[in-house]
Amino acid sequence: LMLLKLSAKYGGFNWDDIAESLPAPRTGWRCFSRFQKSLNNTLLKSEFSAEDERLVQQTIAEFGGTGAANQFLNWIGIAARMGPDH
């Protein structure tokens, strides 16, 4: 509950400051990771639809990745291009 309150106070940023505000010693990364994995209700946790899969493949193609080259793709850029609902 405290992590949720601090996340709201800091707007989901400044994880090092959030970690310092907690009574138990935690790193900023650990706070961020816990929030993203368990507490962030804005993340979609459903299966990809056929349309989602098509959009991912199309976006990857636009970024120029195929096969083994996918490991070098800018996945943050791809996620940004797809938008918040995917």
Side-chain angles (χ1 to χ4, degrees), residues 1-72:
L1 186 59
M2 188 172 218
L3 185 57
L4 278 174
K5 289 180 181 178
L6 289 168
S7 173
K9 176 182 175 182
Y10 287 94
F13 298 100
N14 300 322
W15 290 101
D16 290 332
D17 291 342
I18 291 170
E20 289 178 13
S21 300
L22 293 170
R26 299 281 188 268
T27 64
W29 173 251
R30 182 161 175 146
C31 292
F32 171 76
S33 178
R34 166 83 169 120
F35 179 79
Q36 292 295 72
K37 288 181 180 179
S38 304
L39 303 173
N40 187 352
N41 63 2
T42 63
L43 292 178
L44 296 177
K45 297 178 181 174
S46 60
E47 298 289 323
F48 271 23
S49 69
E51 175 62 19
D52 290 334
E53 185 65 32
R54 186 195 64 73
L55 183 58
V56 168
Q57 294 300 325
Q58 176 185 339
T59 306
I60 288 172
E62 289 172 8
F63 273 75
T66 58
N70 284 348
Q71 66 182 333
F72 301 111

